[in-house]
Amino acid sequence: MATAKVISRNVKNLLVCKSYSVNVTVKHSVWTPENIVRSPFKDVEIPKRTLPEHIWENLERWSDKTALVCGTTNRSITYHQLYKYSKNFAAHLRTNFHITDGDVVCIMMTNTPEYAPAVIGALEAGAEVTTVNPIYTAHEVHKQLLLSNPKVLIGIPESVPILKEAMRLSNRNVPIITCNANNGLPADTVSFEELINDDNINKDVLKQVNKGFEDVILLPYSSGTTGLPKGVELTTKNIISNCVQQDTKEIRHYDDTTSSHQETVVAVMPFYHIYGIAIIMLHKLSVGAKLVTLPRFEPTSFLKTFEDHRISLLCTAPPLVLFLASYPGVTSKHLESVNRIVCGAAPLPKSDIDKVLSKVKQNAKFFQVYGLTETSPLATTFTQDYKKYTTVGFPIPNTELKVVDGDFKNLGPNQVGELLIRGPQVMKGYRNNQEATKNSITEDGWFRSGDLGSIDVDGSVTIADRLKELIKVKGYQVPPAELESILKEHPAVLDAGVIGIPDPRTGERPRAFVVLKDGLKAASKDIEEFVAERVAEYKRIKDVMFLDNLPKNPSGKLLRRVLKEKYC
């Protein structure tokens, strides 16, 4: 997740806003004399155990309830089956694939019920899990293979050819396990279903797993201000902390699972993303919810999910909220069972929130949330009845915030600067990148978000603008440096710069500025097709300008800000 409310350009206008009364149960002072903002909620105890142990803690209370069901095929897994499948898979990973503590398992799949036993099973085996966008090209995937060095790949039939080509490009040869191979198992791969259904595998091998509380378990890749992929090291402590932080009564987004009640969550936000895997999958499984998985967003199947499963909790991002608000086919009937809507990942204006709430029952609650991959991901959220939609709510328990100026001086209430976050959910660091880690986490544990924001006297946070230069296309992060690197691979291109420009359909889109080599020519279409062959669709460039040179500072760094000011 990234910024949940962005107001570009005139940041100072944010300071001239009316005061609001806030109904928050404050357990202690919010602002300290040092201008550090503490969470208004009582600290929670972080249990020292493995993440699978945390998920299974209350298993007996809902073992026969559905854990996951496919929204298109109705294929389902109960909690008891999820436990069994995860253990079986873990034992096979240790025994037959020789996974040892700290090895990496890479998953490249769309959202399916099998995603959960694949992740939890890998963690049970002592592995780290890295996830890949299933629409990535082989060119993109091979970069992550080089960086993460996985020992096993898990995919679906559609992704197997991409994984094989990515291995060729990265000069790797590791086994591939295939899920949902209903129309035949791809050559040279192993059936996931055979592994998870093998109850005869000796699970005593799992006693050899010895992972510490501070050891890494998730390794998502995030593009920071440089745009170059960085492996975010999230530990057991990070993920469990963020789970129990979300369980706090004042801010929780769910009701307890009982014999007569179970939250039903539509899981269309991708599991490869930290929002999908941590907040929707891992946390909601830890509290006994039912996840209805959808492999992709498609209006008909998405709305049918509401009709068939009576969705009660909607974890979403702005494009989905806009769809619910404006699509003619969405009626109050579809949303009649929805009790809560949680929105993160990108900006969302109040007018769109009001449109959606007009279609749901009067007592439905709307939560805006804020966080980043590096914060596991949740950092702030609304309370149960909070409606100040210009903010992203309050720091969650065990979390401190501060806003600093360019000299790193702490600022006071309603002053705009860079937002810093400190808490047990802050990542361990970036994999094999000490410099990036040092630049992102201070010696005393503050994570630099890269977002401009302010904090009100009540502790509520407003995100004002982005310091980072990532481009947001339909809520997806598009790193300019990645596209610039690909552009420079074109034989006619000498130099390139990429920025995001406003787009009424996608929020932003990439615009490329290209300098050609002397004596060589290339048409815009040639450049666009060259990039399209190497990146996912949402990253593609459809707007190219040719320049004689690019603006740079004395050290040679590209000044994207100048490109925006001069050409946009």
Side-chain angles (χ1 to χ4, degrees), residues 113-248:
E114 289 76 19
Y115 211 119
V119 171
I120 300 172
L123 299 180
E124 292 266 23
E128 301 173 3
V129 173
T130 191
T131 54
V132 179
N133 187 335
I135 66 172
Y136 267 8
T137 66
H139 185 83
E140 292 166 305
V141 175
H142 103 278
K143 294 180 181 179
Q144 189 161 332
L145 298 188
L146 289 173
L147 291 167
S148 62
N149 191 29
K151 298 298 177 64
V152 172
L153 306 177
I154 305 174
I156 52 178
E158 295 84 350
S159 65
V160 166
I162 302 296
L163 289 170
K164 288 183 175 181
E165 176 62 13
M167 282 198 291
R168 186 191 68 79
L169 291 172
S170 58
N171 196 26
R172 294 287 194 277
N173 185 20
V174 297
I176 299 177
I177 299 171
T178 305
C179 290
N180 306 329
N182 300 321
N183 297 322
L185 189 68
D188 303 318
T189 71
V190 178
S191 169
F192 179 77
E193 283 71 22
E194 288 185 11
L195 299 178
I196 64 174
N197 283 294
D198 181 10
D199 296 330
N200 296 318
I201 184 72
N202 184 2
K203 286 178 272 294
D204 286 342
V205 69
L206 299 182
K207 296 177 182 178
Q208 300 171 5
V209 176
N210 184 27
K211 293 275 287 197
F213 198 54
E214 303 281 354
D215 288 338
V216 176
I217 57 171
L218 295 184
L219 188 65
Y221 274 77
S222 173
S223 297
T225 55
T226 64
L228 301 175
K230 296 193 292 292
V232 178
E233 296 183 318
L234 299 177
T235 66
T236 297
K237 177 183 178 181
N238 294 151
I239 300 299
I240 290 183
S241 295
N242 215 224
C243 282
V244 297
Q245 287 168 319
Q246 295 176 63
D247 294 336
T248 300

Side-chain angles (χ1 to χ4, degrees), residues 179-352:
C179 290
N180 306 329
N182 300 321
N183 297 322
L185 189 68
D188 303 318
T189 71
V190 178
S191 169
F192 179 77
E193 283 71 22
E194 288 185 11
L195 299 178
I196 64 174
N197 283 294
D198 181 10
D199 296 330
N200 296 318
I201 184 72
N202 184 2
K203 286 178 272 294
D204 286 342
V205 69
L206 299 182
K207 296 177 182 178
Q208 300 171 5
V209 176
N210 184 27
K211 293 275 287 197
F213 198 54
E214 303 281 354
D215 288 338
V216 176
I217 57 171
L218 295 184
L219 188 65
Y221 274 77
S222 173
S223 297
T225 55
T226 64
L228 301 175
K230 296 193 292 292
V232 178
E233 296 183 318
L234 299 177
T235 66
T236 297
K237 177 183 178 181
N238 294 151
I239 300 299
I240 290 183
S241 295
N242 215 224
C243 282
V244 297
Q245 287 168 319
Q246 295 176 63
D247 294 336
T248 300
K249 180 180 178 181
E250 295 94 334
I251 62 172
R252 65 164 54 185
H253 303 153
Y254 65 93
D255 290 326
D256 288 332
T257 300
T258 66
S259 59
S260 59
H261 174 78
Q262 184 185 26
E263 294 286 0
T264 304
V265 188
V266 61
V268 69
M269 299 299 294
F271 287 153
Y272 74 81
H273 189 275
I274 190 63
Y275 185 10
I277 194 172
I279 287 184
I280 299 176
M281 181 200 292
L282 297 173
H283 176 256
K284 297 308 178 288
L285 290 176
S286 75
V287 298
K290 177 172 75 173
L291 306 185
V292 184
T293 66
L294 289 171
R296 63 190 60 83
F297 173 78
E298 190 277 321
T300 302
S301 60
F302 180 66
L303 293 179
K304 190 173 186 299
T305 298
F306 285 81
E307 297 172 351
D308 294 346
H309 298 278
R310 293 190 60 79
I311 302 301
S312 60
L313 172 59
L314 179 57
C315 295
T316 184
L320 279 181
V321 175
L322 293 175
F323 168 79
L324 293 172
S326 60
Y327 190 67
V330 180
T331 67
S332 296
K333 183 72 174 176
H334 291 108
L335 304 178
E336 65 180 359
S337 58
V338 174
N339 296 316
R340 296 178 180 89
I341 300 173
V342 180
C343 186
L348 188 67
K350 182 180 182 298
S351 59
D352 294 321

Side-chain angles (χ1 to χ4, degrees), residues 424-439:
Q425 72 271 42
V426 170
M427 68 170 179
K428 184 176 183 178
Y430 294 114
R431 175 62 53 92
N432 299 326
N433 197 333
Q434 292 183 355
E435 182 179 357
T437 301
K438 184 178 179 181
N439 290 336

Side-chain angles (χ1 to χ4, degrees), residues 39-74:
S39 171
F41 314 111
K42 184 178 179 181
D43 282 354
V44 295
E45 183 178 351
I46 312 299
K48 288 190 175 182
R49 54 190 174 213
T50 69
L51 183 58
E53 287 171 345
H54 183 72
I55 293 173
W56 309 136
E57 180 189 19
N58 295 306
L59 180 64
E60 71 283 353
R61 290 170 48 189
W62 43 69
S63 62
D64 294 331
K65 290 185 180 292
T66 300
L68 303 105
V69 57
C70 177
T72 56
T73 68
N74 217 36

Side-chain angles (χ1 to χ4, degrees), residues 514-535:
V514 171
V515 179
L516 297 176
K517 295 177 181 176
D518 287 343
L520 296 181
K521 295 182 179 180
S524 297
K525 184 178 180 181
D526 297 332
I527 301 292
E528 293 164 7
E529 289 176 350
F530 182 84
V531 174
E533 292 173 0
R534 291 162 172 77
V535 300

Side-chain angles (χ1 to χ4, degrees), residues 71-143:
T72 56
T73 68
N74 217 36
R75 186 177 68 259
S76 65
I77 298 176
T78 67
Y79 272 91
H80 174 73
Q81 290 172 319
L82 177 60
Y83 177 84
K84 182 184 75 170
Y85 292 161
S86 299
K87 294 287 187 180
N88 288 349
F89 186 52
H92 272 289
L93 287 177
R94 295 286 295 199
T95 303
N96 299 322
F97 296 87
H98 310 295
I99 289 293
T100 59
D101 294 353
D103 285 342
V104 175
V105 171
C106 176
I107 301 176
M108 184 181 181
M109 300 197 301
T110 54
N111 287 13
T112 69
E114 289 76 19
Y115 211 119
V119 171
I120 300 172
L123 299 180
E124 292 266 23
E128 301 173 3
V129 173
T130 191
T131 54
V132 179
N133 187 335
I135 66 172
Y136 267 8
T137 66
H139 185 83
E140 292 166 305
V141 175
H142 103 278
K143 294 180 181 179

